[in-house]
Amino acid sequence: MAFYLHRSFSDDPDIFVLHNLRLEDPAQPEHHGSPGVCQIDHLLVHRFGFFIIECKSVTGEVRVRPDNSGGDEWTRMHGRKETGMPSPIQQAQRQASFLRIFLQSHRQNLLGRQSLGLRTIAKVVHGSDQRGFKSAPIQLVIAVSDKGKIKRLGGWEPSHNPFQIYVTKADLVSDKISKEVERHRKGAKSTNKKAHGEYGMWSMDETEIEHVARFLAEQHLDFSGAPKPRPKQTAPKRNRRPSREKAIGTGHPVKAACKHCGSIDLTARSGPYGYFWRCSSCEKNTAMPVVCSTCRANGKRNKKVRIRKEKGSYLRDCEACGTSEPIWTER
């Protein structure tokens, strides 16, 4: 999926891609009181909103049918046996709700105020002229493996109100997203807003798109709960264009531990064969991993994945998919 998204959107200055995004928010606690956590397979940040892509690795057949109350029921086939599975649409909707609340709580740092002509109206209606994410489109795409099969039963169709939800094969996701983004662009330019529904009604400017995408990448937590090292952040500039490579890799967490004794008391070093960790316990070396967590390209085989040092952080850059991800920060 990361490969398809990179090929389709790496040249679009209005779209940023984040992979395996994990967010934590104490303001949305879990049932046992710990901070709420949201895991998103792939998130696209674009001028007119967001796309959440929930991936399902299915090599057989999945079936979707209406539940006669406006919902959807999912099952999976194992040979001739049909078993139930959670609805990925409902899962993605919970992610969208979490993301919206999380972004809304940080709206003052991410978005500017309403345009001068709308400030008075906004203050009357909402009590503030600060723009926010309450009406930002967060669209859902359920991607099934290319080898899988989707069977829609009982006339089931995904919702299209106010925005289209897609359940599709992975190789078709980029095309669906491109069509939806174009609908937003046409809606934003049209003088007849009613003809386009809510498409194009909400938008960000160029610098806000990048600012929001980088903010989310910096909030990413690995699965141990430790924050990822933060990439260098520069203040948004009004005329600054995003770079061509925009995929912000959060990837799978790097579990830094000595391969000989398991100690985590490590120090980063460099040598003729690249960067490595020196263990303070057994004084042996462990090479820093050069396998991209997004596309799985192996730097030892094709030289497309390299580790570089930027001040106190070590970054893993992949030429194959354009991802750059922090893997270590000096203590």
Side-chain angles (χ1 to χ4, degrees), residues 81-96:
K81 185 178 180 180
E82 184 176 13
T83 58
M85 61 179 289
S87 166
I89 293 179
Q90 301 301 317
Q91 180 182 354
Q93 286 177 339
R94 290 190 292 270
Q95 295 169 0

Side-chain angles (χ1 to χ4, degrees), residues 141-174:
V141 181
I142 310 303
V144 176
S145 304
D146 293 339
K147 294 182 179 180
K149 180 180 179 181
I150 305 169
K151 191 170 184 179
R152 300 166 175 84
L153 303 175
W156 179 85
E157 290 184 1
S159 173
H160 58 273
N161 184 28
F163 305 106
Q164 180 68 54
I165 295 176
Y166 287 99
V167 176
T168 185
K169 302 289 283 296
D171 60 336
L172 299 177
V173 168
S174 295

Side-chain angles (χ1 to χ4, degrees), residues 275-296:
Y275 291 99
F276 61 92
W277 289 295
R278 171 64 61 84
C279 178
S280 299
S281 299
C282 68
E283 298 185 350
K284 293 183 179 180
N285 299 336
T286 300
M288 290 188 184
V290 287
V291 177
C292 177
S293 67
T294 299
C295 69
R296 311 309 295 170

Side-chain angles (χ1 to χ4, degrees), residues 1-10 16-21 40-44 53-55 143 146 170-171 173-174 177 245-252 292-297 318-325:
M1 193 70 259
F3 171 80
Y4 290 140
L5 296 175
H6 171 74
R7 282 298 183 92
S8 299
F9 303 117
S10 62
F16 285 76
V17 181
L18 296 93
H19 306 296
N20 299 318
L21 179 65
I40 300 175
D41 290 343
H42 306 276
L43 178 69
L44 269 73
I53 303 172
E54 175 64 27
C55 295
D146 293 339
D171 60 336
V173 168
S174 295
I177 290 176
E245 299 295 347
K246 308 182 307 311
I248 303 174
T250 53
H252 298 291
C292 177
S293 67
T294 299
C295 69
R296 311 309 295 170
C318 178
E319 296 179 6
C321 70
T323 297
S324 179
E325 52 190 339

Side-chain angles (χ1 to χ4, degrees), residues 88-275:
I89 293 179
Q90 301 301 317
Q91 180 182 354
Q93 286 177 339
R94 290 190 292 270
Q95 295 169 0
S97 177
F98 188 102
L99 178 65
R100 187 184 304 281
I101 295 172
F102 183 75
L103 288 172
Q104 183 67 10
S105 66
H106 295 278
R107 65 190 185 280
Q108 291 185 344
N109 297 326
L110 298 174
L111 299 178
R113 293 182 177 183
Q114 296 284 1
S115 61
L116 188 60
L118 295 176
R119 286 183 183 179
T120 302
I121 299 176
K123 285 184 177 181
V124 173
V125 176
H126 302 291
S128 172
D129 60 1
Q130 173 68 47
R131 292 168 57 226
F133 296 90
K134 287 185 177 181
S135 59
I138 303 180
Q139 294 180 248
L140 313 179
V141 181
I142 310 303
V144 176
S145 304
D146 293 339
K147 294 182 179 180
K149 180 180 179 181
I150 305 169
K151 191 170 184 179
R152 300 166 175 84
L153 303 175
W156 179 85
E157 290 184 1
S159 173
H160 58 273
N161 184 28
F163 305 106
Q164 180 68 54
I165 295 176
Y166 287 99
V167 176
T168 185
K169 302 289 283 296
D171 60 336
L172 299 177
V173 168
S174 295
D175 181 59
K176 306 294 187 186
I177 290 176
S178 295
K179 290 180 178 178
E180 287 295 289
V181 172
E182 185 59 29
R183 290 182 67 180
H184 283 287
R185 286 173 177 160
K186 288 182 178 179
K189 295 178 181 179
S190 175
T191 56
N192 183 10
K193 300 297 183 182
K194 291 184 178 180
H196 298 274
E198 296 188 26
Y199 282 85
M201 297 291 289
W202 187 94
S203 66
M204 295 182 282
D205 66 29
E206 180 182 287
T207 56
E208 289 171 341
I209 304 168
E210 182 177 6
H211 192 42
V212 169
R214 294 198 177 278
F215 167 78
L216 290 172
E218 289 183 349
Q219 302 305 308
H220 172 77
L221 296 175
D222 70 20
F223 290 96
S224 67
K228 282 272 190 171
R230 295 191 175 192
K232 183 178 180 181
Q233 182 70 35
T234 57
K237 298 180 180 179
R238 186 60 55 181
N239 296 322
R240 183 167 174 256
R241 298 288 292 180
S243 62
R244 181 176 179 272
E245 299 295 347
K246 308 182 307 311
I248 303 174
T250 53
H252 298 291
V254 174
K255 300 298 184 183
C258 176
K259 69 177 182 181
H260 304 283
C261 69
S263 173
I264 60 173
D265 189 9
L266 307 174
T267 304
R269 302 282 182 85
S270 64
Y273 299 104
Y275 291 99

